[in-house]
Amino acid sequence: THFIVETLPGFDGQLPFKLETGYIGVGEEEKLELFYFFVESERDPQNDPLMIWLTGGPGCSGLSTFLYEFGPLTFDYANSSGNFPKLELNLHSWTKVANIIFIDQPVGTGYSYAKTSEAYNSNDTLSATLTYDFLRKWLMDHPEYLKNPLYVGGESYAGIYIPLVTRKIYDGVEVGDEPQMNIKGYIQGNALTDTYIAVNSRVKYAYHMGLISDKIYQSAKANCNGNYVDIDPNNILCLNNLQKVKKCLNNIRSHHILENWCDLSFLRSNVHSGPWCRENNYIYSKIWANDKAVQKALNVREGTILEWLRCNNSMRYSARESMNRSGSYVFDIQTSIDDHRHLISKSCRALIYSGDHDMTISHVSTEEWIDTLKLPIVDDWEPWFVEDQVAGYKVKYLQNDYELTYATVKGAGHTAPEYKPRQCLPMVDRYKVKYLQNDYELTYATVKGAGHTAPEYKP
Ligand SMILES: COc1cc(/C=C/C(=O)O[C@@H]2O[C@H](CO)[C@@H](O)[C@H](O)[C@H]2O)cc(OC)c1O
């Protein structure tokens, strides 16, 4: 079931874009009701790409991307009084150039819910399977979009299964799954691809960005043999080096290393106190998305969730009972490099970008796993520009019909459009235009200065 939403509390007048919300039942006996927001492209909905966007966490809502990264609306912070947030149009929304499905997955995320409590249990493999199931059913409900070029998109933790969902779609086309999808590629930002590389490369990243000295880095690299994750407890020299590293990084905000580090305990009290913190912005969505009038306007089914959470962290860290949902999340995929490797044989293009001020999942880690693909380079490291300014750097790889381009967004954090909005929309639009050549061309773009994950910092 889905409905068109014409007005929303906090936004004056009719929405100047087409917003649809709804639920799609997936999983055995369709016990899982996955909620989604769908925004039609404001440019050419019949021909512009269709993209399904998978948010990170796991457990972060598609509404978080919608409101803080590249959706059509954002909070009007300057005019929002403490009691109810006002919304304004996002001039850099990606829905100006693409039809986008913002999904609340896995179950337990956002407004999605399960009909039984044990159905809240999830894992990476199941997330990918159910996302593919969701997309097939959504396209059966919306056959008019079957001909649009299809892209799988996502960020952060979703990097673990974006290539797997993409792979399922390609394989589905090859075995004749219905409906036949016009898959063209995938796009991911500050995406977790290999958990070891992502964590291990933080020391090198910190050195790159001047957070630790050359001396500390060289000493740690030598004593730890470049492995800062699995450390022999008898390796005292390495442990001492890492103590020094920890001291340097403790009060750095990992999602954007130049922004204020804040004691997030105020989050629970909803008090805007002390220095400005990006996390202050997230209080607005907590108020807005839990408002009953908002949920009615969005056609959220009453009584299905106790509290909307921007990120249901209980899934990310442990199986402990979370505030409003029981259920455990098993991280059963440690790396998705092989799924990227599988796509190299397809006619497929992906855009993979990284904000270069994100230490959570840094561009250094992304460069490291891409190198393992050993793809031939066609355009080596060079700047890309927006309005005559360097917006980041990119490298383009090509192998048969598989083209991957890597790029950074200079100065953005995690996630780029929140920090560099002007840069991320043209980056995506340029990339999208290329699909007209009918070949598979992957453009990897870092979002310079974007962190984890890019669109939140650089809309
Ligand atoms: C479960 O294991 C890991 C998960 C992550 C996930 C980070 C994440 O999704 O960040 C969120 O992204 C979303 C964007 O999707 C942001 O909105 C949230 O603020 C942000 O917290 C990272 C790791 O380290 C490399 C892990 O080991």
Side-chain angles (χ1 to χ4, degrees), residues 53-58 60-61 64-65 69 155-158 192 194-195 198-199 202 253 255 282 310-311 313 315-317 331 360-361 414-415 418 452-453 456-457:
W53 190 262
L54 309 179
T55 310
C60 294
S61 169
S64 177
T65 306
E69 298 178 44
E155 59 194 0
S156 197
Y157 188 77
L192 183 60
D194 182 290
T195 41
V199 178
R202 282 179 185 154
R253 183 169 179 268
H255 282 7
Y282 302 146
R310 188 183 79 83
C311 290
N313 287 330
M315 281 190 245
R316 191 188 307 191
Y317 300 119
F331 307 116
T360 305
I361 300 175
H414 176 107
T415 44
E418 190 170 346
H452 183 89
T453 44
E456 186 175 344
Y457 295 82

Side-chain angles (χ1 to χ4, degrees), residues 22-265:
Y23 293 87
I24 288 198
V26 295
E28 56 181 73
E29 297 160 45
E30 297 195 343
K31 277 186 205 159
L32 310 180
E33 292 285 355
L34 297 187
F35 189 85
Y36 69 88
F37 306 75
F38 172 64
V39 182
E40 229 182 44
S41 173
E42 294 176 44
R43 182 172 64 181
D44 179 3
Q46 274 68 41
N47 296 299
D48 280 338
L50 170 68
M51 180 168 74
I52 181 168
W53 190 262
L54 309 179
T55 310
C60 294
S61 169
L63 186 57
S64 177
T65 306
F66 187 102
L67 292 170
Y68 294 109
E69 298 178 44
F70 56 76
L73 293 174
T74 188
F75 289 113
D76 176 2
Y77 297 105
N79 298 309
S80 284
S81 61
N83 44 27
F84 200 71
K86 281 184 70 59
L87 291 166
E88 64 183 8
L89 293 176
N90 173 10
L91 302 179
H92 310 289
S93 176
W94 293 8
T95 55
K96 293 195 179 302
V97 298
N99 304 284
I100 302 178
I101 303 167
F102 301 84
I103 181 177
D104 277 346
Q105 67 81 35
V107 70
T109 302
Y111 294 124
S112 294
Y113 68 95
K115 292 171 181 165
T116 64
S117 64
E118 72 275 347
Y120 278 107
N121 294 324
S122 192
N123 60 63
D124 297 323
T125 310
L126 188 59
S127 294
T129 304
L130 295 177
T131 299
Y132 180 54
D133 193 16
F134 169 96
L135 188 56
R136 291 180 63 203
K137 289 174 176 167
W138 190 90
L139 284 167
M140 282 189 261
D141 286 352
H142 300 76
E144 66 275 24
Y145 287 98
L146 278 172
K147 67 183 180 346
N148 294 61
L150 174 65
Y151 290 83
V152 177
E155 59 194 0
S156 197
Y157 188 77
I160 284 290
Y161 41 72
I162 290 163
L164 179 53
V165 173
T166 310
R167 172 176 183 165
K168 285 176 181 296
I169 296 170
Y170 275 99
D171 295 350
V173 169
E174 285 163 18
V175 299
D177 271 1
E178 286 302 327
Q180 284 284 291
M181 299 186 193
N182 186 19
I183 183 73
K184 290 293 179 187
Y186 56 105
I187 169 174
Q188 55 182 51
N190 292 84
L192 183 60
T193 302
D194 182 290
T195 41
Y196 172 80
I197 294 177
V199 178
N200 196 57
S201 64
R202 282 179 185 154
V203 174
K204 184 177 177 186
Y205 177 80
Y207 171 52
H208 269 243
M209 304 302 277
L211 303 179
I212 59 175
S213 67
D214 180 63
K215 195 161 154 243
I216 294 175
Y217 176 64
Q218 300 305 343
S219 176
K221 191 175 168 197
N223 293 323
C224 307
N225 301 312
N227 179 349
Y228 311 108
V229 180
D230 315 313
I231 303 150
D232 171 358
N234 302 314
N235 186 341
I236 304 303
L237 291 176
C238 171
L239 291 172
N240 287 345
N241 289 142
L242 293 183
Q243 275 307 324
K244 285 190 192 136
V245 171
K246 194 166 184 302
K247 198 166 153 241
C248 296
L249 302 185
N250 257 352
N251 288 50
I252 296 289
R253 183 169 179 268
S254 175
H255 282 7
H256 193 296
I257 61 167
L258 302 186
E259 288 208 344
N260 288 334
W261 178 85
C262 300
D263 170 0
L264 298 184
S265 59

Side-chain angles (χ1 to χ4, degrees), residues 169-411:
I169 296 170
Y170 275 99
D171 295 350
V173 169
E174 285 163 18
V175 299
D177 271 1
E178 286 302 327
Q180 284 284 291
M181 299 186 193
N182 186 19
I183 183 73
K184 290 293 179 187
Y186 56 105
I187 169 174
Q188 55 182 51
N190 292 84
L192 183 60
T193 302
D194 182 290
T195 41
Y196 172 80
I197 294 177
V199 178
N200 196 57
S201 64
R202 282 179 185 154
V203 174
K204 184 177 177 186
Y205 177 80
Y207 171 52
H208 269 243
M209 304 302 277
L211 303 179
I212 59 175
S213 67
D214 180 63
K215 195 161 154 243
I216 294 175
Y217 176 64
Q218 300 305 343
S219 176
K221 191 175 168 197
N223 293 323
C224 307
N225 301 312
N227 179 349
Y228 311 108
V229 180
D230 315 313
I231 303 150
D232 171 358
N234 302 314
N235 186 341
I236 304 303
L237 291 176
C238 171
L239 291 172
N240 287 345
N241 289 142
L242 293 183
Q243 275 307 324
K244 285 190 192 136
V245 171
K246 194 166 184 302
K247 198 166 153 241
C248 296
L249 302 185
N250 257 352
N251 288 50
I252 296 289
R253 183 169 179 268
S254 175
H255 282 7
H256 193 296
I257 61 167
L258 302 186
E259 288 208 344
N260 288 334
W261 178 85
C262 300
D263 170 0
L264 298 184
S265 59
F266 79 78
L267 260 184
R268 280 179 274 284
S269 60
N270 281 1
V271 174
H272 298 242
S273 60
W276 179 85
C277 299
R278 186 161 297 277
E279 283 73 16
N280 283 337
N281 292 355
Y282 302 146
I283 295 172
Y284 290 81
S285 58
K286 182 174 180 174
I287 298 167
W288 191 79
N290 282 299
D291 178 86
K292 288 301 167 222
V294 168
Q295 293 188 1
K296 184 168 172 38
L298 290 173
N299 307 294
V300 173
R301 290 170 187 160
E302 282 193 63
T304 53
I305 66 163
L306 289 182
E307 180 185 19
W308 177 89
L309 297 168
R310 188 183 79 83
C311 290
N312 179 2
N313 287 330
S314 70
M315 281 190 245
R316 191 188 307 191
Y317 300 119
S318 75
R320 69 175 181 279
E321 291 278 309
S322 71
M323 271 178 270
N324 57 355
R325 290 143 182 161
S326 62
S328 71
Y329 191 92
V330 176
F331 307 116
D332 61 335
I333 299 178
Q334 297 308 313
T335 179
S336 56
I337 297 179
D338 288 343
D339 295 318
H340 289 279
R341 203 168 276 122
H342 179 84
L343 294 169
I344 292 175
S345 64
K346 311 295 176 196
S347 176
C348 171
R349 179 190 306 127
L351 167 64
I352 307 177
Y353 58 84
S354 271
D356 64 8
H357 280 60
D358 173 23
M359 188 157 64
T360 305
I361 300 175
S362 73
H363 68 289
V364 169
S365 71
T366 304
E367 288 176 30
E368 194 173 320
W369 74 257
I370 286 179
D371 287 349
T372 66
L373 297 180
K374 304 217 178 313
L375 294 168
I377 291 177
V378 284
D379 294 327
D380 210 337
W381 187 274
E382 59 185 351
W384 61 280
F385 296 85
V386 172
E387 298 160 17
D388 299 330
Q389 296 297 327
V390 176
Y393 296 86
K394 62 185 177 67
V395 180
K396 194 158 96 175
Y397 306 85
L398 178 66
Q399 184 162 309
N400 303 324
D401 270 349
Y402 178 84
E403 190 170 303
L404 184 155
T405 303
Y406 162 69
T408 63
V409 174
K410 184 165 64 72

